């Protein structure tokens, strides 16, 4: 259980930072106010997830990953970096991250269904919200980003590595 809570907390923290980075870049770009607002909405939703995991860590006496400062910085850099590459790349980032997270949550939900059905239900809700983020990113042209396949593969691999590391450290 500690690994599940630790990694999900780290993931939500990174997601907040990704959207914060995207919002910072798009908010400073002329004509991108609407997109910056969209990223602010996503950031707020991820912040709600993060607050829930903050509470769960405290309630269940689980320490967060020691890599929290690294994931905070890496998330912001990923968000800002993909936003600097353009709107489509920012959406490709969202699609890649949320695709990995959806699979990760699905595994956890299956594992927790009998052991902790209340937490499994919460994770199901979070997963559905992450899927909505992914689907919106696809609708907004994520797959039209320059170098989409490579960008998506690199981001996905990074997310999978961060998951494995955060479970243990």
């Amino acid at each position: 259980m500690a690994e599940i809570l630790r990694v999900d907390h780290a993931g939500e923290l990174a997601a907040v930072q990704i959207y914060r980075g995207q919002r910072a870049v798009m908010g400073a770009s002329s004509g991108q106010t609407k997109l910056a607002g969209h990223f602010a909405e996503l950031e707020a939703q991820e912040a709600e997830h993060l607050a829930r995991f903050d509470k769960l860590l405290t309630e269940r006496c689980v320490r967060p990953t020691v890599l929290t400062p690294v994931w905070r910085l890496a998330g912001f850099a990923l968000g800002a970096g993909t936003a600097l590459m353009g709107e489509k790349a920012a959406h490709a980032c969202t699609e890649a991250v949320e695709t990995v997270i959806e699979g990760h949550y699905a595994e956890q939900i299956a594992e927790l269904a009998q052991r902790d059905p209340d937490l499994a239900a919460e994770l199901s809700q979070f997963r559905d919200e992450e899927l909505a983020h992914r689907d919106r990113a696809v609708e907004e042209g994520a797959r039209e980003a320059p170098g989409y396949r490579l960008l998506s593969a690199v981001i996905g691999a990074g997310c999978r590595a961060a998951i494995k590391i955060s479970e243990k450290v």
Side-chain angles (χ1 to χ4, degrees):
M1 184 61 72
E3 288 181 4
I4 288 171
L5 296 177
R6 184 172 17 264
V7 72
D8 289 355
H9 177 265
E12 296 298 346
L13 179 130
V16 167
Q17 293 302 315
I18 289 168
Y19 290 127
R20 190 167 287 160
Q22 290 174 332
R23 183 173 50 85
V25 169
M26 292 304 178
S29 299
S30 177
Q32 295 292 352
T33 307
K34 181 180 175 188
L35 187 56
H38 170 67
F39 289 135
E41 290 171 16
L42 297 177
E43 179 187 336
Q45 193 170 53
E46 300 293 0
E48 290 176 18
H49 298 176
L50 177 59
R52 179 62 181 135
F53 283 111
D54 279 335
K55 186 174 181 187
L56 285 167
L57 289 180
T58 300
E59 289 173 355
R60 299 189 185 198
C61 299
V62 175
R63 68 161 177 79
T65 177
V66 297
L67 295 173
T68 295
V70 173
W71 298 151
R72 184 175 283 118
L73 180 62
F76 189 89
L78 177 60
T82 55
L84 287 168
M85 294 170 65
E87 179 179 340
K88 305 283 189 208
H91 290 306
C93 175
T94 297
E95 180 195 8
V97 169
E98 302 297 19
T99 297
V100 171
I101 298 309
E102 185 277 327
H104 175 68
Y105 271 149
E107 290 173 9
Q108 290 181 337
I109 292 162
E111 180 181 337
L112 293 171
Q114 297 299 318
R115 194 169 79 181
D116 192 336
D118 291 337
L119 182 56
E122 275 190 282
L123 295 182
S124 292
Q125 177 188 340
F126 291 172
R127 182 199 57 210
D128 292 348
E129 292 168 358
E130 307 298 356
L131 285 171
H133 298 174
R134 183 198 65 196
D135 294 347
R136 174 82 186 270
V138 171
E139 290 170 11
E140 295 294 329
R143 296 178 181 164
E144 299 165 19
Y148 166 77
R149 286 183 183 263
L150 178 61
L151 184 62
S152 182
V154 168
I155 293 170
C159 288
R160 286 186 293 280
I163 287 168
K164 292 297 178 196
I165 293 167
S166 292
E167 285 175 342
K168 304 296 182 191
V169 180

